[in-house]
Amino acid sequence: MSPRSASVNEELRRRSRERLLHAAVELVGERGYDATTLADIADRAGSARGLVSYYFPGKRQLVQSAVHRLMHGTLAEALEREPRTEDGHERMARAIDAILGLARDHPLLMRHHMAGILQGEGFVQCPEQRRLAELLRETVARHGSTDADTDYPMLRALLMGAVFASLVPGVPMQLPVLRAELFRRYGLDWEQGTPPDHEGGADEVRDSACAADVSRFFGTTGHTPPGEGFDDGRRRARTPGPDQPK
């Protein structure tokens, strides 16, 4: 049997990393951070325990990367949903609603994410975080900022503060109140974005189910190059492990 090509090995490694990110989001969202081990994540992802250390320095970095991926995917989906728009105010409203929606739909996950940022390791700079930052910076610029490098960190801080305030045990602030304050600050109309009191009917039920299933944000499937036989990173008989570091 001929050895796999470099492109196939790269694709298998990419899928393995994606499965780890997806598993981390699922497990921390179900159990919390402390109750989730790296072994649990590797088992859920169907990966060898050693691969976690190959891709991520530790659990904190893995979980932050996974949540940043979820945040980026949620934000990108909200900005590009139909009807598409280039209006800067509408895009800002969608961005705010997307991030606040994560606190509503994934409270345990987001609570542990916010707590993790306050730990000694702080804010993890990873590819997922950089993509999220680029999208938020673009949103600020389209909203009319003449200094996105200054205004983006302020938007990030305000969104983080709103998520934190909505999740504080015992004294949470209501998301509509936080939304109203953010909309006031950015000069947005209440009906822009996705108002929390809108009557969605069947669409609202579908959106709720969609929010619960985050697998679409983690690319664990892909195109198989012609003549390159592999099945989503799973082993074939007498074939080396798909994701082992070279």
Side-chain angles (χ1 to χ4, degrees), residues 13-107:
R13 283 191 287 268
R14 184 194 68 79
R15 293 187 191 181
S16 178
R17 187 177 187 275
E18 293 290 308
R19 287 195 297 272
L20 290 169
L21 292 170
H22 186 195
V25 161
E26 287 188 334
L27 286 169
V28 175
E30 294 167 7
R31 307 175 184 176
Y33 181 83
D34 291 335
T36 300
T37 67
L38 287 176
D40 294 333
I41 294 171
D43 287 345
R44 176 70 66 92
S47 297
R49 169 64 179 81
L51 287 178
V52 180
S53 300
Y54 175 65
Y55 292 114
F56 303 97
K59 185 171 75 167
R60 184 70 64 190
Q61 291 83 356
L62 167 55
V63 171
Q64 278 205 38
S65 294
V67 176
H68 285 142
R69 167 64 65 81
L70 174 62
M71 294 175 72
H72 174 265
T74 301
L75 178 58
E77 187 175 76
L79 292 174
E80 299 305 320
R81 75 165 186 263
E82 298 295 341
R84 294 194 176 188
T85 180
E86 297 300 319
D87 180 75
H89 280 62
E90 173 62 23
R91 292 177 72 86
M92 177 63 78
R94 292 184 183 190
I96 292 171
D97 284 338
I99 301 303
L100 294 183
L102 288 170
R104 178 195 64 226
D105 298 330
H106 307 280

Side-chain angles (χ1 to χ4, degrees), residues 5-6 38 41 43 62 87 93 96 115 137 152 160 181 192 194 196 218 229 237 240:
S5 68
L38 287 176
I41 294 171
D43 287 345
L62 167 55
D87 180 75
I96 292 171
R137 185 178 285 105
Y152 152 66
M160 290 173 65
E181 179 60 24
Q192 291 181 298
T194 308
F218 300 90

